[in-house]
Amino acid sequence: MAAGFLRELGAGAVEVRSAGSMPGDRINPVAVEAMREVGIDLTGQQPKVLTTDAVQASDVVITMGCGDACPYYPGKRYEDWVLDDPAGQGIEAVRPIRDAIRDRVAALLTSLGVEPTAMTTSVDRADGSFGGDPRR
């Protein structure tokens, strides 16, 4: 989800690499559905293993609880985003995780000097929230 938001909100201003320390064989279908609600299509994406080359080539490394399993290189900027794991959860539980990721991605882009673009898709949901501007 973070990579999807980085691509969308970064509008090509940042290079996005997405990988995990123990990736599954497919992206969580509930996460795909949650992202589709806000106009981001993850269906063509495949989980990838985090490699030392990917970390070395990155300026900023965002982790989500991989701890010692993630390669570490001095001089890189690391952020560990503590979030609930969407695995095994329904759409109602995944939406707030998705929204928290969107907010963190927007803050990350701002910290890099990149103005997050406004998302053009809004989806009204039963809870009254919407998938709109990440700066809300």
Side-chain angles (χ1 to χ4, degrees), residues 5 9 98-106 119 130-131 134 136:
F5 279 125
L9 301 177
R98 174 204 59 206
D99 295 345
I101 291 171
R102 178 191 57 221
D103 293 345
R104 289 177 188 218
V105 165
M119 293 181 63
F130 70 98
R136 66 178 173 96

Side-chain angles (χ1 to χ4, degrees), residues 13-134:
V14 294
E15 183 177 341
V16 180
R17 294 181 186 90
S18 178
S21 58
M22 296 185 307
D25 59 344
R26 65 187 175 126
I27 294 177
N28 178 344
V30 179
V32 172
E33 179 184 351
M35 293 300 283
R36 186 179 300 121
E37 289 181 347
V38 295
I40 298 175
D41 183 9
L42 299 181
T43 56
Q45 302 297 314
Q46 291 294 317
K48 298 169 219 46
V49 174
L50 182 64
T51 65
T52 55
D53 289 342
V55 172
Q56 286 178 314
S58 300
D59 295 318
V60 180
V61 178
I62 305 299
T63 60
M64 295 183 190
C66 66
D68 293 338
C70 289
Y72 179 82
Y73 289 93
K76 300 292 178 184
R77 175 177 161 192
Y78 286 84
E79 291 186 22
D80 186 43
W81 292 355
V82 178
L83 298 159
D84 290 335
D85 188 346
Q89 301 204 47
I91 191 70
E92 293 296 326
V94 173
R95 285 181 182 133
I97 298 167
R98 174 204 59 206
D99 295 345
I101 291 171
R102 178 191 57 221
D103 293 345
R104 289 177 188 218
V105 165
L108 172 65
L109 288 168
T110 299
S111 77
L112 295 171
V114 176
E115 179 66 25
T117 62
M119 293 181 63
T120 57
T121 301
S122 294
V123 178
D124 292 320
R125 297 192 297 252
D127 66 0
S129 62
F130 70 98
D133 188 336

